[in-house]
Amino acid sequence: MFSAPAIDPNRVAVYIRWSTDEQTQGTTLEVQRDACRHFLQSQGWHFRDDLTFVDDGYSGGNMERPALSTLRSAVRAGGIAAVVVYKLDRLSRNLLDCVTLVRQEWAGVALFSTMERFDTQSSIGQMVFNILVSFAEFERNIIRERTMSGKRKRWEQGRNSGFKYAYGYRKSAEGGFAIDPGPAAVVKGIFADYLQGAGYASIRDRLNREGIPAPGGGLWRICTIQLMLRNPVYAGHLAAGYYTYVGGRQKRGKGPARLVHNAVPPILSQSVFDQVQTLREGKAQAGPVIQRDSDYILSTIIRCARCGGPMVGHNGTGGGRRRYYRCANGKEFGKCDCGAVPKDEIEEAVLHEVRERYSPVQLRRRIEQMEARRLETVAARRQAVEQLMGRQAELKRKREKLDDDYFAGELDAKGYGRLANRLDADLEAVGRQVEAARQAVRQAEQSTVDTERLGALVAMLDGLAELGPQQIRRVLRQMLSAVWAYRAKSKGRYNKTPTEVTIEHHVQTLAPACRLFATGERTEGGDGTSIKMGIIG
């Protein structure tokens, strides 16, 4: 085993990656961990669990990996002196990504591989490094081509290529598609209902009313109906390649990239499927139904505090005299126990809170508080810079003394080189920390309150009564990030249960969130972020 340069033994990180495509290659997490541990021990370094970063089940084709992101942040913070991997392709199988990471982002950090020998500080080592990364990318491309070739062959043979079987089908004895009689009958009913003029919602309601489980279990949803009505598999054609990858992220296209005709047994005739597609296209060309401007001013802002789902306006019985916001999950699927929230009461309370919080007096007080906190942050960050610079000056004195001792003959060349490398690494790390701390000071100094924008919002509030519902919603969306509401259900004709509401303000417009309860109280915490007031339904 070769001898590595002097490295702080307590600041050596280990990175491990394993993807499902490599399950037959013998590079499991345990194998990689043991190899890296033995390598560290051979160099006299310490294997630390808190500096071991593991990505289990992630591809090396892109850099979107949680453990790798954490490791990169630790390197930028100056807490890592060296990184050890099992092989270079654990970091990345992309040539450009790997070279950019190691040669630029990690320029001041040593990199070691347990299975390859190179030194990126020398010209020959850089050439070896580039060759190894090129082979890693080549291997990845070969694996991808073989995988896609196998999938294409399975598609052409009418066999599943690894995805979940469409509703109405199951796996046959030969590994292909077989019709599942029960779900297939449901599929035929859905297509028949649509041809007879039923809409997505009415088909969904019928299926849920009859107690038929959805493909994934539970209740049916409109999007499920829509996807089924356009899936060519029910006419016997196997669609492949709906998904593409852009920037490492999976995106679904509008149509399949590849369609294998007559690959699976059809549930419907081609004519029925074509009639449904023609009907769907005709409705799409007709355009959406234009609706009037809803006077529910909290639409798109208010959400259920119990399940997190959106709350929608609902006209109650009695000619719409009683109007509410209702949780969409509770109304449509029965999955939430949140009761109806009275429209007028909650809208009045939210508008009252917004007007009060953004009044000139409150704004002035809030701005003064935020400015005081900003100055405290600036002072604290400046103090951190001074401490780091003191540490930097101390290391420079030690480095100068080391040179003096060496030239005085008190140290041999080997001891001098070992200590000099360690001090130089520490100086470089502290230098990065000083620069980062100075940048933090500059950011705090520049993060002043946008008083002009706040003044414009206050001016909008003065004329709020003259605006229409849609304009009021636009103003509220600039001030509020969300309104969370919950009201327990009660038996009887009238629900007198109080409503609990949380209002979240946008960070850039004064941050604090306020909570409203049906207690009739109004209190503020030490940081001015808690407000209580009564709302009775």
Side-chain angles (χ1 to χ4, degrees):
M1 188 71 69
F2 74 100
S3 178
I7 298 293
D8 185 348
N10 293 311
R11 296 194 298 125
V12 180
V14 171
Y15 178 72
I16 300 171
R17 182 185 65 81
W18 184 83
S19 65
T20 53
D21 291 339
E22 300 156 342
Q23 57 186 346
T24 60
Q25 298 181 17
T27 56
T28 63
L29 297 178
E30 292 75 14
V31 170
Q32 296 181 52
R33 189 187 300 270
D34 290 342
C36 291
R37 181 186 290 108
H38 292 322
F39 180 83
L40 265 67
Q41 292 173 351
S42 70
Q43 303 302 317
W45 300 335
H46 300 154
F47 182 87
R48 294 174 50 181
D49 290 333
D50 60 326
L51 291 183
T52 302
F53 302 87
V54 181
D55 278 320
D56 186 2
Y58 287 87
S59 169
N62 60 73
M63 306 297 281
E64 299 292 332
R65 288 169 261 157
L68 180 60
S69 299
T70 305
L71 172 59
R72 295 169 72 180
S73 299
V75 170
R76 286 193 295 270
I80 305 297
V83 176
V84 176
V85 296
Y86 179 70
K87 290 178 64 178
L88 265 179
D89 61 10
R90 300 302 87 199
L91 275 180
S92 177
R93 289 184 180 272
N94 182 284
L95 175 61
L96 180 60
D97 287 344
C98 195
V99 171
T100 302
L101 178 68
V102 176
R103 300 281 295 279
Q104 296 182 18
E105 186 174 330
W106 291 359
V109 175
L111 176 66
F112 300 97
S113 168
T114 65
M115 302 298 291
E116 298 128 346
R117 300 294 178 262
F118 55 84
D119 177 10
T120 55
Q121 304 303 313
S122 67
S123 300
I124 295 179
Q126 291 175 6
M127 180 186 68
V128 173
F129 169 77
N130 291 337
I131 292 174
L132 291 173
V133 176
S134 300
F135 274 108
E137 184 175 31
F138 171 74
E139 183 181 5
R140 170 177 173 265
N141 292 334
I142 291 297
I143 293 174
R144 182 171 56 186
E145 290 175 2
R146 290 174 179 172
T147 301
M148 293 306 300
S149 176
K151 287 184 176 182
R152 283 193 294 268
K153 190 171 185 62
R154 293 180 68 87
W155 291 333
E156 293 169 357
Q157 294 174 349
R159 301 170 64 189
N160 193 333
S161 60
F163 297 104
K164 184 178 179 180
Y165 282 86
Y167 183 77
Y169 290 93
R170 55 179 173 79
K171 185 177 181 180
S172 67
E174 298 79 17
F177 285 73
I179 296 178
D180 195 350
V186 176
V187 172
K188 292 180 179 178
I190 291 174
F191 276 79
D193 287 352
Y194 192 78
L195 285 176
Q196 292 173 8
Y200 300 130
S202 61
I203 297 175
R204 174 206 62 194
D205 294 341
R206 177 185 67 80
L207 294 171
N208 289 334
R209 188 170 56 252
E210 294 176 359
I212 299 173
L219 299 175
W220 288 81
R221 307 187 67 172
I222 286 179
C223 60
T224 306
I225 306 295
Q226 292 174 325
L227 290 174
M228 291 180 64
L229 287 173
R230 74 176 193 178
N231 194 341
V233 72
Y234 297 120
H237 314 308
L238 192 58
Y242 270 103
Y243 292 97
T244 58
Y245 290 86
V246 179
R249 295 181 179 274
Q250 181 175 273
K251 293 187 177 182
R252 183 178 179 91
K254 293 183 178 179
R258 183 180 178 86
L259 192 65
V260 183
H261 293 277
N262 304 318
V264 301
I267 293 178
L268 307 167
S269 66
Q270 185 66 51
S271 61
V272 170
F273 183 79
D274 291 341
Q275 290 176 39
V276 168
Q277 305 317 304
T278 302
L279 184 58
R280 287 181 60 253
E281 292 173 2
K283 290 183 177 181
Q285 292 176 0
V289 179
I290 301 176
Q291 299 180 346
R292 64 180 178 85
D293 180 17
S294 170
D295 59 353
Y296 288 87
I297 64 173
L298 297 181
S299 295
T300 72
I301 303 175
I302 185 170
R303 304 189 70 84
C304 176
R306 178 56 61 93
C307 70
M311 300 192 76
V312 296
H314 174 73
N315 295 336
T317 57
R321 289 191 296 271
R322 291 194 297 272
R323 311 179 73 189
Y324 306 93
Y325 288 95
R326 296 183 61 177
C327 174
N329 288 334
K331 179 177 181 294
E332 184 173 354
F333 306 117
K335 292 184 177 181
C336 183
D337 63 352
C338 181
V341 175
K343 171 185 181 295
D344 295 337
E345 285 85 344
I346 191 172
E347 289 182 353
E348 180 181 352
V350 171
L351 290 176
H352 173 80
E353 174 58 33
V354 168
R355 286 193 180 98
E356 183 167 305
R357 179 167 290 272
Y358 292 93
S359 67
V361 175
Q362 288 289 339
L363 277 177
R364 185 164 50 252
R365 185 169 68 88
R366 298 286 181 187
I367 290 173
E368 291 174 354
Q369 292 176 348
M370 294 177 69
E371 182 64 15
R373 287 197 294 268
R374 186 183 70 84
L375 293 177
E376 291 176 0
T377 301
V378 170
R381 292 181 179 179
R382 285 177 177 171
Q383 184 179 3
V385 171
E386 292 176 359
Q387 292 176 351
L388 287 170
M389 292 182 68
R391 171 63 176 161
Q392 190 178 44
E394 180 184 356
L395 289 172
K396 288 181 179 179
R397 288 193 296 270
K398 290 183 177 180
R399 185 68 172 84
E400 292 173 357
K401 184 178 182 303
L402 182 66
D403 291 339
D404 294 340
D405 292 344
Y406 175 68
F407 290 120
E410 298 180 7
L411 283 174
D412 57 13
K414 183 177 181 180
Y416 170 77
R418 178 174 55 82
L419 295 175
N421 286 337
R422 180 176 300 179
L423 284 174
D424 289 342
D426 290 343
L427 273 170
E428 185 177 355
V430 173
R432 290 194 298 266
Q433 293 174 6
V434 169
E435 181 56 33
R438 286 174 174 167
Q439 179 64 24
V441 171
R442 289 192 290 269
Q443 290 176 352
E445 290 174 342
Q446 297 170 2
S447 61
T448 56
V449 180
D450 190 350
T451 54
E452 292 184 3
R453 184 169 184 272
L454 292 176
L457 291 175
V458 173
M460 291 181 186
L461 288 177
D462 291 338
L464 204 60
E466 301 176 1
L467 301 179
Q470 187 174 10
Q471 294 171 311
I472 295 177
R473 278 198 298 273
R474 290 176 181 172
V475 174
L476 291 179
R477 278 198 291 264
Q478 294 185 61
M479 299 177 174
L480 309 177
S481 57
V483 174
W484 302 88
Y486 174 73
R487 188 189 193 202
K489 294 181 180 179
S490 68
K491 296 182 179 180
R493 184 174 181 182
Y494 298 106
N495 185 355
K496 296 184 178 181
T497 306
T499 302
E500 179 181 330
V501 183
T502 301
I503 299 179
E504 293 181 359
H505 295 259
H506 278 305
V507 174
Q508 63 268 27
T509 59
L510 288 181
C514 67
R515 295 185 62 82
L516 289 71
F517 294 91
T519 60
E521 302 179 33
R522 181 180 179 83
T523 61
E524 294 203 17
D527 57 356
T529 61
S530 178
I531 297 177
K532 296 182 180 180
M533 60 185 297
I535 304 177
I536 302 297

